[in-house]
Amino acid sequence: MKRIYMDHSATTPVDPLVVDSMLPYFTEKFGNASSLHSFGQEASEALSTARQQLAESIGAKTDEIIFTSGGTESDNLAIRGVLEKKNSGKGKDQHIITSLIEHPAVLSTCSFLESIGYDVTYVPVDSEGILDMDEFENSIQDNTSIISIMHANNEIGTIQPIREISKIAKENDIYLHTDAVQTFGKIPVNVDDLGVDMLAISSHKIHGPKGAGALYVREGTDLEPFIFGGGHEQGLRPGTENIPGIVGLGKAASLAKERLGNDPEHMLKLRDSLISKIFDSIEDVQLNGHSEKRLPNNVNLSFKYAEGESLQMLLDVKGIAVSTASACSSKSKKESHVLTSIGVDTDYIHGTIRISLGKDNTMEEIDYVAQSLKESVDKLREMSAISKC
Amino acid sequence: MKRIYMDHSATTPVDPLVVDSMLPYFTEKFGNASSLHSFGQEASEALSTARQQLAESIGAKTDEIIFTSGGTESDNLAIRGVLEKKNSGKGKDQHIITSLIEHPAVLSTCSFLESIGYDVTYVPVDSEGILDMDEFENSIQDNTSIISIMHANNEIGTIQPIREISKIAKENDIYLHTDAVQTFGKIPVNVDDLGVDMLAISSHKIHGPKGAGALYVREGTDLEPFIFGGGHEQGLRPGTENIPGIVGLGKAASLAKERLGNDPEHMLKLRDSLISKIFDSIEDVQLNGHSEKRLPNNVNLSFKYAEGESLQMLLDVKGIAVSTASACSSKSKKESHVLTSIGVDTDYIHGTIRISLGKDNTMEEIDYVAQSLKESVDKLREMSAISKC
Amino acid sequence: MYSRKVIEEFTNPKNVGVIEDADGVGETGSTVDGDIITIYIKVNDDVLEDVKFKTFGCVVAISTSTMVTQLAKGKTIDEALKLTNKDVIDALGGLPEDKTRCSGFALVALHKAIEDYRGKTAD
Amino acid sequence: MYSRKVIEEFTNPKNVGVIEDADGVGETGSTVDGDIITIYIKVNDDVLEDVKFKTFGCVVAISTSTMVTQLAKGKTIDEALKLTNKDVIDALGGLPEDKTRCSGFALVALHKAIEDYRGKTAD
Ligand SMILES: Cc1ncc(COP(=O)(O)O)c(C=O)c1O
Ligand SMILES: Cc1ncc(COP(=O)(O)O)c(C=O)c1O
Ligand code: FES
Ligand code: FES
């Protein structure tokens, strides 16, 4: 069976060009970048090149790139790095502003910080997922140290007005971090245009390898590491550098930048075609998120009378990979905090799936997926005890 | 020029079999292990297999393996995980015991913990690098929460009596963590024989890929995560799992276990031959570390009148990669804390190099290295203003 | 994650539907939970001659629903009441550990349907 | 990390050795630091006719030593005193940033040797 992958927000296949770029660093140029000898120098040159590629792709300086193990670690480093920095003089009397719909990498970090004494405000969003700017501005305190607002949401694809947020952050002299894990490669990501002090990237979301990520840290931003060891990555990220992973990330970043003129447009066309096909053929369905300020590859749908996991599984049986927002667990059905925050109706919330497109998806696939989705929804509704309530 | 790599304690080339095992997970089986669909299931099966391979190789249960990004992160997780665990009731009134010659991953973590209020004892070692057992036992306090003693030292190769240390830890009901980054694959590492509660492993030191590592956590050991995000790895290590890296680590671990009967013996033969050739041909040289309780692949030598970095560089020019213990930095020559702790003479301390063998080194290479080393030491002594002092 | 058997039963569920003149109907779950299972029984001479279900819910909800109807159909009421959660899980070739709680819902619906039938016939 | 030129100079240093009847000798560093540079000069008619060094130390110590001797040799004392750290670094095709402090040691040794010479001739 031919399989169709439409879960690119979860992870992406590594680009063959990226794999090729990585291969020499496993068996031939395998040195430790800290070593002075020729093997080490090969590694450290590769590291520099990757740093340059990544820096260029987001309009940063090479010194402003800290390589990490992934998006989660980058988010942790940004927020905790600022708060835990020594000589801040403020200790735990510091305040963090974030949103209700951040990724767990940010939310769990914030709730950990809350548990040890920091003060956190979770700013709400409107029904399309856009940050409530009034509440945001009102939440600023004298002791606010950092604002962390994601560039675009991983579930519903809503893009936040980071530039506006940045203006307010700057007026108040507060560091701004943005989680750009879902935007990089899909919409332009330039650190100066966005006006951010920190920005998180994850390699495996941009056709790079898993196990690599980066944090952009604007020159002059004072950070402490939160993992301790050798002095790698300007003292901010110890541990022997994952050279093949970082090389792959560098290559993936420069490819993503190059393709920004084509890939997103292609995905957008597929996205809009899929949405209209679904709305034409299926009743009682809604699109979650924003109609325009939306990632070009994100389709988040809620169906009445058809449960998300079951829908996802029926599609999987047909060879189609999408994701479901609501996950069953032993205690109770966990509802997505994002869907709850934008106020999705109970009738709809359990019937949610996310379809996230990639550059290699085709219009033919879109047709098949739309058709399969209709069949699957019909089948589940047929089976459902509440479809006629 | 044929190059000879003898810096295997810094990092190792990835075994071609390991690379082969990883390749499918970049482009074909590229799913996110958290996804329910078929792509995700392939990834999560690969994760299970790797977990089983690693568990078997150290005599652990699969549930006791937490995958991380490397040895540094594993050490951080072990120590901070125990201390920061909730409901410990003890807060920061907790005591840590470690040694003076640990890797920076442990030492820097401990000094960070000291800086935020924890109490740390750094137990000294004797002139061969063996932990002072009396001082160790005396350092135990009522509030000691964790003991972290490395299995073998990365610079001088001295192997610690972990089993004895474990007995004392158990009598006092204190968790014992060991950093086995340098021992795994070189001497038997079995968590029950060693009697440890936690044990750190790094993939790139055992012919696996960089960017992967593991922490063994004995069932019943209460840990908190120190990176926050999704609930991966039993809630102890969030972030999308580095599947190719973990697959490579699993494969490398099972190969290392398989080859334990042959490789170490081979390295031991080379090691002893190299040492005797050097002592036969060069004067004013000393072997640092223990004569018997020593990693089979470690040769740590100090030469009078020949500076380490220069020696290393002359060897590099001849195509030989070894490492130097003392690194130049802008402020002052940093002396290795390990060499200082075992009391290496000032006349010798700056002239230290580490030669760490690998399974693929040959007796022919040993001859060439011994010969080159003699030439290089002679050349530097010739040049040295203090050689006749 | 799900066994082959679960996926098979889930994809091709038996006994889907409503029994219009059911002798008993049992329901578990709620829209808020996101799982609603309704089981219909037709009883003849103390034997469950027909058992059908309608389910809104996840893979576990649907596959246990169809399995419960299959296991119960043809059994006497007493036999049907002896069915355990374990029987259902075993017939499905196992369920992920964190789903075992949910796996009981369909059986509860069956029990409720039988109660409903007994309530009616006791009148 | 080190430039090709540094490695070249380090591997094939010129002017290694002691000038037995030196007119001036200058030394910097200590065994504790792990870098000792000694520079010997032979002066003729205010010109540094010969300059030699003996150095125990790292790559920077050795390569700057040989470079300083090469730059100084044949210069008048006044010219030699005008040599800057930057001249040495440039002649070596650059040095890693965190080594720039150390790069001055050899020059200091040369200055000390000149002082030594002047001290002697002032006598
Ligand atoms: C918005 C967002 N932030 C952070 C992450 C975490 O990235 P990683 O899986 O590389 O740790 C993800 C992906 O899971 C994400 O979508
Ligand atoms: C003893 C020891 N512990 C920890 C580490 C850190 O491992 P990694 O480089 O994988 O973070 C190393 C290697 O650098 C080591 O030798
Ligand atoms: S959440 Fe699906 S049956 Fe429990
Ligand atoms: S440490 Fe080598 S010259 Fe300074």
Side-chain angles (χ1 to χ4, degrees):
Chain A
M1 180 174 62
K2 189 178 173 277
R3 295 193 297 171
I4 296 175
Y5 188 75
M6 290 198 179
D7 196 11
H8 293 84
S9 288
T11 195
T12 56
V14 183
D15 192 304
L17 291 173
V18 170
V19 179
D20 285 348
S21 76
M22 296 168 66
L23 285 179
Y25 296 94
F26 290 119
T27 48
E28 296 156 44
K29 304 182 177 185
F30 59 83
N32 185 318
S34 302
S35 300
L36 291 173
H37 48 63
S38 65
F39 295 84
Q41 292 316 296
E42 286 168 350
S44 99
E45 278 158 28
L47 192 59
S48 299
T49 305
R51 204 182 299 281
Q52 216 166 326
Q53 288 173 318
L54 187 53
E56 271 170 21
S57 71
I58 58 171
K61 301 185 195 121
T62 51
D63 284 356
E64 297 177 320
I65 304 298
I66 306 295
F67 288 116
T68 68
S69 69
T72 298
E73 195 195 313
S74 296
D75 283 333
N76 272 259
L77 175 57
I79 300 172
R80 294 160 68 186
V82 164
L83 291 178
E84 294 180 17
K85 75 168 189 277
K86 263 180 209 142
N87 311 320
S88 75
K90 297 188 196 168
K92 283 183 180 163
D93 179 24
Q94 291 183 70
H95 176 240
I96 307 152
I97 299 175
T98 187
S99 85
L100 274 174
I101 62 166
E102 298 294 309
H103 187 271
V106 168
L107 283 183
S108 302
T109 298
C110 287
S111 65
F112 162 71
L113 291 167
E114 245 181 325
S115 79
I116 61 169
Y118 291 96
D119 186 16
V120 184
T121 300
Y122 301 89
V123 179
V125 296
D126 68 16
S127 64
E128 296 187 297
I130 300 277
L131 196 74
D132 183 325
M133 292 299 285
D134 289 338
E135 290 238 20
F136 164 63
E137 217 167 335
N138 289 335
S139 72
I140 291 174
Q141 302 178 3
D142 285 346
N143 65 345
T144 305
S145 293
I146 182 166
I147 297 163
S148 180
I149 303 290
M150 69 200 317
H151 194 189
N153 182 269
N154 46 304
E155 292 187 26
I156 56 174
T158 302
I159 301 166
Q160 300 298 345
I162 297 296
R163 222 185 304 193
E164 277 179 62
I165 293 167
S166 160
K167 271 186 208 127
I168 297 168
K170 276 188 186 132
E171 276 163 29
N172 290 277
D173 203 19
I174 303 168
Y175 285 139
L176 173 61
H177 166 62
T178 195
D179 176 338
V181 166
Q182 292 294 341
T183 48
F184 185 53
K186 274 142 228 148
I187 60 174
V189 171
N190 178 292
V191 293
D192 288 337
D193 289 351
L194 291 171
V196 294
D197 300 298
M198 285 165 290
L199 183 142
I201 280 175
S202 175
S203 162
H204 71 97
K205 311 279 189 188
I206 59 164
H207 301 282
K210 295 177 177 64
L215 181 68
Y216 159 78
V217 182
R218 186 177 293 278
E219 215 167 44
T221 309
D222 233 3
L223 283 196
E224 280 277 291
F226 83 101
I227 307 182
F228 301 92
H232 310 75
E233 294 297 298
Q234 302 179 48
L236 284 174
R237 208 301 171 167
T240 303
E241 297 90 344
N242 175 5
I243 301 295
I246 291 169
V247 164
L249 167 55
K251 180 73 181 174
S254 66
L255 289 173
K257 182 71 191 296
E258 256 174 50
R259 291 169 174 166
L260 206 54
N262 300 312
D263 291 349
E265 207 175 323
H266 171 66
M267 295 190 266
L268 191 75
K269 221 180 281 174
L270 300 186
R271 182 195 80 180
D272 291 343
S273 162
L274 180 61
I275 293 173
S276 76
K277 286 201 170 86
I278 288 167
F279 277 81
D280 284 353
S281 65
I282 308 179
E283 281 181 4
D284 295 325
V285 55
Q286 70 178 38
L287 181 70
N288 302 311
H290 201 279
S291 50
E292 283 143 42
K293 291 171 191 154
R294 175 179 210 99
L295 288 175
N297 71 329
N298 176 287
V299 181
N300 187 296
L301 298 164
S302 289
F303 300 90
K304 219 171 164 176
Y305 316 135
E307 200 267 352
E309 193 210 22
S310 288
L311 196 47
Q312 190 239 294
M313 193 58 77
L314 285 182
L315 292 173
D316 188 41
V317 169
K318 292 175 195 281
I320 299 166
V322 304
S323 97
T324 176
S326 50
C328 271
S329 84
S330 54
K331 279 164 223 134
S332 70
K333 199 154 240 167
K334 259 202 292 192
E335 281 166 21
S336 146
H337 68 285
V338 178
L339 300 179
T340 312
S341 298
I342 60 171
V344 175
D345 225 60
T346 10
D347 275 3
Y348 281 91
I349 203 162
H350 295 296
T352 305
I353 58 168
R354 177 189 66 186
I355 302 175
S356 47
L357 304 168
K359 65 186 176 66
D360 297 324
N361 285 133
T362 64
M363 197 53 93
E364 223 186 318
E365 290 175 340
I366 293 292
D367 292 341
Y368 178 68
V369 169
Q371 177 60 27
S372 302
L373 196 52
K374 183 180 164 37
E375 287 165 17
S376 303
V377 169
D378 284 353
K379 180 167 179 173
L380 287 176
R381 285 180 175 172
E382 180 67 28
M383 218 186 290
S384 169
I386 55 169
S387 66
K388 306 264 160 56
C389 305
Chain B
M1 183 174 59
K2 189 178 173 277
R3 294 193 298 169
I4 296 176
Y5 187 75
M6 290 199 179
D7 196 11
H8 292 83
S9 288
T11 194
T12 56
V14 183
D15 192 304
L17 292 172
V18 169
V19 178
D20 285 349
S21 75
M22 296 168 66
L23 285 178
Y25 296 94
F26 290 117
T27 49
E28 297 157 42
K29 304 183 177 184
F30 60 81
N32 185 319
S34 302
S35 300
L36 290 172
H37 48 63
S38 65
F39 295 84
Q41 293 314 298
E42 287 168 348
S44 100
E45 277 158 29
L47 192 58
S48 299
T49 305
R51 205 182 298 282
Q52 215 165 327
Q53 288 172 316
L54 186 53
E56 271 171 21
S57 71
I58 57 169
K61 300 184 197 126
T62 50
D63 285 356
E64 296 176 323
I65 304 298
I66 307 296
F67 287 116
T68 68
S69 69
T72 297
E73 195 195 313
S74 296
D75 282 332
N76 272 260
L77 175 56
I79 299 173
R80 294 161 66 184
V82 164
L83 290 179
E84 293 179 17
K85 75 167 190 277
K86 262 179 209 141
N87 310 321
S88 75
K90 295 187 200 170
K92 283 185 181 162
D93 178 24
Q94 292 181 69
H95 176 240
I96 307 152
I97 299 175
T98 188
S99 85
L100 274 175
I101 63 165
E102 297 295 310
H103 187 270
V106 168
L107 283 184
S108 302
T109 298
C110 287
S111 65
F112 162 71
L113 291 166
E114 243 181 326
S115 79
I116 61 170
Y118 292 96
D119 185 17
V120 183
T121 301
Y122 301 89
V123 179
V125 296
D126 68 17
S127 63
E128 296 187 298
I130 299 278
L131 196 74
D132 183 325
M133 293 298 286
D134 288 338
E135 289 238 21
F136 164 62
E137 218 169 333
N138 289 336
S139 73
I140 291 173
Q141 303 178 1
D142 284 347
N143 66 343
T144 306
S145 290
I146 183 167
I147 297 163
S148 181
I149 302 291
M150 71 202 314
H151 195 190
N153 182 270
N154 46 304
E155 290 186 27
I156 55 173
T158 302
I159 301 166
Q160 300 298 343
I162 298 295
R163 222 187 302 192
E164 276 178 62
I165 293 167
S166 160
K167 271 186 207 127
I168 296 167
K170 276 187 186 134
E171 276 162 29
N172 291 278
D173 204 21
I174 303 168
Y175 285 139
L176 173 61
H177 166 61
T178 195
D179 175 337
V181 166
Q182 292 293 343
T183 48
F184 185 53
K186 273 144 229 147
I187 60 174
V189 170
N190 179 292
V191 292
D192 289 337
D193 288 352
L194 291 172
V196 294
D197 299 299
M198 285 165 291
L199 182 142
I201 280 175
S202 175
S203 163
H204 71 95
K205 309 279 188 187
I206 59 164
H207 301 283
K210 294 176 178 64
L215 181 67
Y216 159 79
V217 182
R218 186 175 294 278
E219 214 167 44
T221 309
D222 235 4
L223 283 197
E224 282 277 291
F226 84 100
I227 306 181
F228 301 94
H232 311 75
E233 295 296 301
Q234 302 178 48
L236 285 174
R237 210 298 171 169
T240 302
E241 298 90 344
N242 175 6
I243 301 296
I246 290 170
V247 164
L249 167 54
K251 181 72 181 173
S254 66
L255 288 174
K257 181 71 191 296
E258 255 175 50
R259 290 168 174 168
L260 206 53
N262 301 312
D263 290 349
E265 206 174 324
H266 170 66
M267 294 189 267
L268 191 74
K269 221 180 282 173
L270 299 186
R271 181 194 82 181
D272 291 342
S273 161
L274 180 61
I275 293 174
S276 76
K277 285 200 172 85
I278 289 168
F279 277 82
D280 283 353
S281 65
I282 307 178
E283 278 180 8
D284 294 322
V285 53
Q286 71 178 39
L287 181 71
N288 302 311
H290 201 280
S291 49
E292 284 143 40
K293 290 169 192 158
R294 177 182 208 98
L295 287 175
N297 71 329
N298 176 287
V299 180
N300 186 295
L301 298 165
S302 290
F303 299 89
K304 219 170 163 177
Y305 316 134
E307 201 267 352
E309 193 210 22
S310 289
L311 196 46
Q312 190 238 293
M313 192 58 77
L314 285 184
L315 292 172
D316 188 42
V317 169
K318 291 175 194 282
I320 300 167
V322 304
S323 95
T324 177
S326 49
C328 271
S329 85
S330 56
K331 279 166 221 132
S332 69
K333 197 154 241 166
K334 259 201 295 195
E335 279 166 23
S336 145
H337 67 287
V338 177
L339 299 180
T340 313
S341 298
I342 60 171
V344 175
D345 225 60
T346 10
D347 274 3
Y348 281 93
I349 204 162
H350 295 295
T352 305
I353 60 168
R354 178 189 66 185
I355 303 174
S356 48
L357 305 167
K359 64 185 178 65
D360 297 324
N361 285 132
T362 63
M363 197 54 91
E364 222 184 319
E365 290 175 339
I366 293 293
D367 291 341
Y368 179 68
V369 169
Q371 176 61 28
S372 304
L373 196 51
K374 183 179 166 36
E375 286 165 17
S376 303
V377 170
D378 283 352
K379 179 168 181 173
L380 288 176
R381 286 181 176 171
E382 180 68 27
M383 217 184 293
S384 169
I386 55 168
S387 66
K388 305 266 161 59
C389 306
Chain C
M1 173 193 181
Y2 289 120
S3 71
R4 192 177 283 261
K5 179 75 179 157
V6 169
I7 300 296
E8 218 176 273
E9 292 293 336
F10 164 75
T11 325
N12 305 299
K14 314 280 180 317
N15 309 318
V16 178
V18 173
I19 301 178
E20 293 297 345
D21 57 345
D23 295 321
V25 180
E27 187 177 299
T28 48
S30 74
T31 16
V32 178
D33 275 359
D35 287 299
I36 303 187
I37 299 174
T38 314
I39 294 217
Y40 304 85
I41 56 174
K42 186 87 202 152
V43 186
N44 191 354
D45 214 7
D46 227 41
V47 169
L48 297 174
E49 215 179 49
D50 200 7
V51 188
K52 282 197 147 68
F53 79 95
K54 278 269 187 178
T55 292
F56 167 77
C58 68
V59 175
V60 171
I62 291 175
S63 57
T64 54
S65 295
T66 181
M67 189 45 74
V68 161
T69 61
Q70 293 173 62
L71 290 174
K73 204 167 165 178
K75 286 208 168 52
T76 64
I77 285 185
D78 282 350
E79 284 167 354
L81 285 173
K82 279 188 195 131
L83 283 172
T84 64
N85 204 0
K86 194 176 171 302
D87 294 333
V88 179
I89 294 174
D90 287 351
L92 285 167
L95 279 177
E97 242 182 57
D98 56 352
K99 301 269 178 147
T100 37
R101 196 194 73 108
C102 292
S103 65
F105 287 163
L107 209 54
V108 171
L110 176 69
H111 289 181
K112 284 192 177 175
I114 292 175
E115 260 171 57
D116 180 42
Y117 160 72
R118 282 184 168 163
K120 281 181 192 161
T121 48
D123 284 350
Chain D
M1 169 191 180
Y2 289 119
S3 70
R4 194 177 283 260
K5 179 74 178 159
V6 168
I7 300 295
E8 220 175 272
E9 292 293 336
F10 164 73
T11 325
N12 304 300
K14 314 279 182 313
N15 308 320
V16 180
V18 174
I19 301 178
E20 293 298 343
D21 56 344
D23 295 320
V25 180
E27 186 178 299
T28 48
S30 72
T31 15
V32 177
D33 275 0
D35 287 300
I36 301 187
I37 299 174
T38 313
I39 294 214
Y40 305 84
I41 55 174
K42 186 87 202 151
V43 186
N44 192 354
D45 214 8
D46 226 42
V47 169
L48 297 173
E49 212 181 49
D50 199 6
V51 187
K52 281 196 149 68
F53 79 94
K54 278 271 185 174
T55 292
F56 166 78
C58 69
V59 175
V60 172
I62 291 173
S63 56
T64 53
S65 295
T66 180
M67 190 46 75
V68 162
T69 60
Q70 293 172 62
L71 290 174
K73 207 168 160 176
K75 286 206 168 54
T76 64
I77 284 185
D78 282 350
E79 283 168 355
L81 284 173
K82 281 188 193 130
L83 283 173
T84 64
N85 204 1
K86 194 175 169 303
D87 295 332
V88 179
I89 295 175
D90 288 349
L92 285 168
L95 278 178
E97 243 182 57
D98 57 352
K99 302 267 179 151
T100 37
R101 194 194 72 107
C102 292
S103 64
F105 288 162
L107 209 54
V108 171
L110 175 69
H111 290 181
K112 283 193 179 176
I114 293 174
E115 260 171 59
D116 181 43
Y117 161 73
R118 284 183 169 167
K120 279 182 196 162
T121 49
D123 283 349

